[in-house]
Amino acid sequence: MFEIDWNILLPSLVVAGLVLVVLCVDIIRPDNKGGVSGYLSLLGVGVAIWVSLSLWGRSPTHGLGGMLFLDNYALFFNLIILAGTGLTIFVSTGFLEREEGGRSEYYLLILAATLGMMLMAAGADLIVIFLGIELMSIALYILVGFFRRRTDSNEGSMKYLLLGAFATGFLLYGIALVYGSTGTTNLREIELAVAQGRVYTHPMLLGGVALLIVGFAFKVSAVPFHMWAPDVYQGAPTAITGFMSAGPKAAAFAAFFRVMVASLGDLSGDWSGAIWMLAALTMTVGNLGALSQRNIKRMLAYSSVAHAGYVLVALVAANERGIAGGVFYLLAYAFMNIGAFAVIVALGRKGDENLEISGYAGVGFRHPGIGLAMTLFMVSLAGLPPTAGFFGKFQIFSAAVEAGYIWLTVIGVLNSLVSVYFYLGVVVSMYMRQPVGQAHAVSMTPFARVALLTASLGTLYIGLAPTSLLQMARQTVSALL
Amino acid sequence: METAVFYVLATIAVASAVLLVLFRNPVYSALSLVATLFAVAGLFVLLNAYFLAAVQIIVYAGAVMVLFLFVIMLLNLGHSEALESTVGRYRLTGVIFLCALLVAQLTAVGTRQLRGPVAENEALRTENVQTLGKLLYTDFLFPFEVASIILLVALIGVVVLVKRETPETT
């Protein structure tokens, strides 16, 4: 038997307990329509954030039979994931009442997905990472199809499930091949086996690494494994689309970075070329795809593909600055993207979600606050100063230059320029187009206002005063290199 | 001997997996999946993983496949005439199962010593079930618990997707 260090388990335990509490509340008060569960979930997420912060800065440990890490890297991702979850719950309260009448399973599933993500960020064993991915994915499949009466919601859920199951197969086969060649699924022991050359056959290991890359690339929606993203993002309930683009993407990158850099870092000569191609393709296809979109959710889906490409650049660089930059960028992305989706939720109405970009004409004058917030998020997504997006991209690209990947940086910067066109297209539509038809009253719940305000302030704060957060991001790197 | 058995089983597994995809009739596909599962169970036996082989047959080839067939037949995916005209083919598939089962049993009896697996795994060397149980509740306790949460979430998910909505929300 092993001693259980409860600190290692604590953040996940809080969220797991929260899942069960919310489940019980649902049974005791089935008529609460998710109201009580929503407040409870928020409270619990707050506690989990506090726990993660209080564990910050300790020397890295691992435990539970070598299954979980407790290090700054995992804790930083916990913060990203929990921030995403918290903001999503804030956005969801009014949204659920408006759209279909809330059910508290909604919050339970969000929390279960959150638990899965935290396990992905903290997993010290491929098995735990795999189980975390599955826990997150199963909850997301259901959340995407949560609006059962809508065909696009069902379609998105079905596509996501089928392609997700397919990708899971790749991931699992990759894990099996890595296990077959190194004799272990433990990340630290894989690192040792690779470093000491205790590998059964090298081609088998490389085959495993290739399949792992395919599996992870699907989860982060990198080209050419991105085909699900536009349909799923469009079909999912809008609040869930925002949720999916922040936390799950960050968690998938957390596991991806940890596996590739910490465990398989000695093989970087073999895999960095493949990731280079993935990064270049993902940025280019994502941004070019977003150019022609008329539907804002679809446009943001392609944009999220493109942003996965930027973070992959950080993985190619795989140096201290790159990893810190990637981690930092994922935090910034969570705030700006959920913020953008909060605006979309706010501008929708029951039965008419108002998703055409042309429908945003005049919003800037009718609803100055919302217009200003949306402008901020779009500018940040485009990567213009003084926002969070600019600083994150700057970190990543300078890391790539430092590591000598000049061409990849050039491709990335050119892509950023392209992206300015479609992000600012939304702003142009809001401020410079004549609105057609009646103005609609926008009713935001206080919670949705808080979410929008938090996301805006977060985006601004990260852009204007990035030093302390960047310092935190730098402290995570030692877990990997 | 083991090598020969391995190749026979592997060929059956791969061939029926290919057939699974090629068959137009979903019932055939389901049945070739059974053949694949049996062949894989045989491979587990070759690796001395008897427990895994038994679980594979009971859970996958048994329970899961019955569920598959039920769904296929309830949804009437296999055209009825196709079903009737191909009863003869069932026999062929049956023979394949039987062969797979036979091979599996023969290998279980016939093979004792095998070249050790690359990964020295305690569960494969000694008393299968005991070691497996012990590992599940010690080294792999945490993943085991996580798996139980996954099952819980999947269960809730099914309820969410099929539950009748209360009148006032419609």
Side-chain angles (χ1 to χ4, degrees):
Chain A
M1 272 306 287
F2 46 85
E3 287 292 308
I4 293 179
D5 182 353
W6 290 100
N7 276 338
I8 293 171
L9 202 53
L10 204 54
S12 338
L13 207 59
V14 170
V15 178
L18 197 58
V19 170
L20 298 179
V21 169
V22 171
L23 178 65
C24 293
V25 168
D26 187 32
I27 295 167
I28 298 166
R29 296 273 313 275
D31 55 337
N32 80 65
K33 300 243 186 290
V36 181
S37 320
Y39 304 137
L40 261 179
S41 309
L42 270 181
L43 195 71
V45 167
V47 172
I49 289 178
W50 176 72
V51 165
S52 297
L53 278 175
S54 69
L55 291 170
W56 180 268
R58 301 186 176 205
S59 58
T61 48
H62 53 85
L64 294 159
M67 291 293 165
L68 273 189
F69 280 119
L70 175 69
D71 50 23
N72 287 345
Y73 182 77
L75 290 174
F76 194 85
F77 272 102
N78 279 354
L79 293 180
I80 300 178
I81 293 160
L82 290 166
T85 306
L87 285 174
T88 307
I89 295 173
F90 270 120
V91 174
S92 298
T93 45
F95 176 67
L96 277 183
E97 281 158 29
R98 187 180 79 204
E99 293 297 333
E100 197 169 314
R103 280 175 285 160
S104 60
E105 291 98 343
Y106 179 87
Y107 297 105
L108 187 148
L109 290 168
I110 286 188
L111 292 172
T114 307
L115 177 63
M117 292 179 231
M118 288 165 69
L119 294 179
M120 285 160 75
D125 194 293
L126 287 174
I127 291 177
V128 174
I129 290 178
F130 173 73
L131 288 172
I133 290 178
E134 280 309 286
L135 181 54
M136 174 192 89
S137 303
I138 288 173
L140 284 181
Y141 300 148
I142 301 159
L143 283 171
V144 170
F146 201 79
F147 287 171
R148 294 183 296 172
R149 287 164 191 286
R150 292 198 194 158
T151 40
D152 54 350
S153 182
N154 290 333
E155 180 197 337
S157 178
M158 203 61 193
K159 273 189 183 156
Y160 195 26
L161 170 69
L162 289 177
L163 289 172
F166 197 51
T168 298
F170 276 101
L171 191 69
L172 208 52
Y173 201 15
I175 293 174
L177 287 182
V178 169
Y179 176 69
S181 54
T182 61
T184 175
T185 53
N186 189 293
L187 293 183
R188 281 171 310 122
E189 284 169 24
I190 291 173
E191 184 189 359
L192 278 179
V194 172
Q196 298 167 357
R198 283 186 287 109
V199 174
Y200 179 59
T201 53
H202 205 61
M204 189 169 167
L205 180 61
L206 287 186
V209 173
L211 291 174
L212 280 180
I213 291 176
V214 173
F216 280 122
F218 176 88
K219 291 295 170 196
V220 302
S221 67
V223 177
F225 310 105
H226 69 294
M227 278 83 81
W228 57 277
D231 288 333
V232 174
Y233 276 42
Q234 191 182 358
T238 308
I240 292 304
T241 313
F243 179 63
M244 282 175 67
S245 64
K249 185 160 283 200
F253 268 115
F256 199 8
F257 273 44
R258 190 173 321 249
V259 170
M260 298 312 284
V261 178
S263 290
L264 302 165
D266 286 343
L267 296 173
S268 63
D270 293 309
W271 54 254
S272 68
I275 306 279
W276 194 101
M277 279 306 292
L278 273 182
L281 273 175
T282 307
M283 290 188 290
T284 312
V285 174
N287 281 315
L288 293 183
L291 277 179
S292 58
Q293 300 305 322
R294 298 273 167 275
N295 179 305
I296 191 154
K297 271 167 93 177
R298 227 176 150 74
M299 186 272 267
L300 283 175
Y302 277 103
S303 128
S304 111
V305 170
H307 282 272
Y310 300 135
V311 182
L312 281 174
V313 172
L315 180 56
V316 175
N319 49 13
E320 187 187 341
R321 191 165 190 171
I323 293 162
V327 169
F328 178 84
Y329 195 67
L330 285 168
L331 177 71
Y333 184 68
F335 277 98
M336 57 203 189
N337 218 37
I338 292 187
F341 279 103
V343 170
I344 299 175
V345 169
L347 291 177
R349 291 179 302 279
K350 181 170 176 58
D352 171 23
E353 287 211 84
N354 189 20
L355 295 174
E356 296 299 307
I357 294 175
S358 55
Y360 281 46
V363 166
F365 299 109
R366 284 174 177 167
H367 315 291
I370 293 178
L372 206 62
M374 192 61 163
T375 309
L376 174 68
F377 298 135
M378 288 299 131
V379 166
S380 182
L381 282 168
L384 303 174
T387 52
F390 166 74
F391 200 78
K393 258 185 206 161
F394 174 73
Q395 287 296 320
I396 289 177
F397 288 145
S398 55
V401 170
E402 198 176 88
Y405 294 99
I406 306 294
W407 278 108
L408 193 59
T409 314
V410 171
I411 296 173
V413 172
L414 286 178
N415 267 299
S416 294
L417 289 179
V418 172
S419 75
V420 172
Y421 172 78
F422 59 81
Y423 288 127
L424 292 192
V426 178
V427 180
V428 167
S429 178
M430 284 194 305
Y431 285 99
M432 296 176 192
R433 293 266 153 76
Q434 279 304 314
V436 267
Q438 280 302 114
H440 290 280
V442 167
S443 61
M444 289 179 82
T445 60
F447 276 99
R449 281 176 208 278
V450 171
L452 202 55
L453 200 66
T454 316
S456 313
L457 289 181
T459 308
L460 265 183
Y461 174 75
I462 296 170
L464 291 174
T467 330
S468 60
L469 283 169
L470 195 65
Q471 197 60 40
M472 279 176 87
R474 290 233 172 85
Q475 288 170 11
T476 67
V477 175
S478 62
L480 266 59
L481 290 176
Chain B
M1 173 63 188
E2 306 100 56
T3 328
V5 175
F6 169 80
Y7 280 112
V8 171
L9 285 174
T11 314
I12 294 174
V14 174
S16 42
V18 171
L19 285 177
L20 158 71
V21 184
L22 291 182
F23 276 136
R24 298 213 159 186
N25 189 327
V27 178
Y28 290 179
S29 296
L31 290 175
S32 32
L33 180 57
V34 178
T36 313
L37 295 172
F38 267 104
V40 172
L43 289 176
F44 285 146
V45 171
L46 267 185
L47 288 168
N48 288 351
Y50 305 115
F51 178 70
L52 218 52
V55 168
Q56 170 93 0
I57 288 172
I58 293 168
V59 175
Y60 284 91
V64 173
M65 284 318 300
V66 169
L67 211 66
F68 261 119
L69 286 174
F70 257 122
V71 171
I72 289 170
M73 292 186 179
L74 276 178
L75 296 179
N76 202 17
L77 290 175
H79 304 292
S80 48
E81 65 267 27
L83 274 177
E84 278 159 22
S85 66
T86 51
V87 176
R89 298 261 191 95
Y90 281 155
R91 287 192 195 123
L92 182 68
T93 332
V95 170
I96 295 176
F97 296 154
L98 222 71
C99 288
L101 198 66
L102 200 69
V103 171
Q105 283 190 330
L106 278 178
T107 44
V109 177
T111 56
R112 274 282 151 261
Q113 278 304 308
L114 288 167
R115 200 159 51 98
V118 190
E120 273 301 317
N121 197 327
E122 209 188 333
L124 299 182
R125 266 193 277 115
T126 48
E127 302 275 310
N128 256 260
V129 185
Q130 283 92 324
T131 322
L132 213 62
K134 213 177 268 177
L135 276 176
L136 270 185
Y137 283 97
T138 53
D139 290 0
F140 291 89
L141 177 64
F142 184 67
F144 188 66
E145 296 296 336
V146 176
S148 65
I149 296 182
I150 293 180
L151 290 179
L152 176 71
V153 170
L155 210 69
I156 294 167
V158 171
V159 174
V160 168
L161 291 181
V162 301
K163 194 170 73 176
R164 187 180 302 219
E165 278 172 43
T166 46
E168 68 260 26
T169 60
T170 53

